[in-house]
Amino acid sequence: QVQLIESGGGLVQAGGSLRLSCVVSGSTFSLYAIGWFRQAPGKERGFVARISRAGIATDYEDSVRGRFTISRQNVKNTVHLQMNSLKPEDTAVYYCAADKYGTGTYDYWGQGTQVTVSS
């Protein structure tokens, strides 16, 4: 059973930073590309960032590119999302998800962590 557990969310002022973590257990971590998604109140869940299995390739949603950085530590089964220059519109529940073999389909999801950015 693959499990993903997010942590690191919280309340921060606009312009501040947070670092989210996603720990994956129950399978071989290096088999999975990992993505971060977010869902704001009243909105659909949307893509934020993605990192390939080996951590070589990354991709970002346009509004976070240059402010957020995704990275992974395969020896620790962990992916991080460093979020800088946070804006109130970044307020959402953030989810990590695992894509086995990097096919583009996310097979497993975490429960989410709340990020609130005050103005």
Side-chain angles (χ1 to χ4, degrees), residues 11-116:
L11 173 64
V12 63
Q13 289 188 332
S17 298
L18 283 174
R19 188 192 196 204
L20 305 185
S21 297
C22 172
V23 178
V24 181
S25 62
S27 186
T28 303
F29 182 62
S30 61
L31 293 177
Y32 296 87
I34 303 294
W36 283 97
F37 295 77
R38 65 185 178 185
Q39 186 168 20
K43 295 187 177 181
E44 294 188 352
R45 187 160 56 188
F47 170 77
V48 176
R50 174 183 171 91
I51 191 164
S52 64
R53 293 166 55 190
I56 296 172
T58 59
D59 189 24
Y60 297 92
E61 191 268 331
D62 286 346
S63 70
V64 308
R65 187 174 289 112
R67 299 188 297 123
F68 291 10
T69 302
I70 189 170
S71 62
R72 69 189 290 158
Q73 295 178 283
N74 281 1
V75 294
K76 294 186 176 182
N77 290 10
T78 302
V79 170
H80 299 291
L81 185 68
Q82 178 66 43
M83 307 187 296
N84 298 330
S85 303
L86 283 162
K87 304 175 181 180
E89 51 264 43
D90 294 318
T91 295
V93 178
Y94 284 70
Y95 301 87
C96 63
D99 167 8
K100 194 170 185 180
Y101 303 127
T103 64
T105 299
Y106 290 92
D107 308 282
Y108 304 99
W109 293 80
Q111 293 299 306
T113 185
Q114 176 70 48
V115 171
T116 303

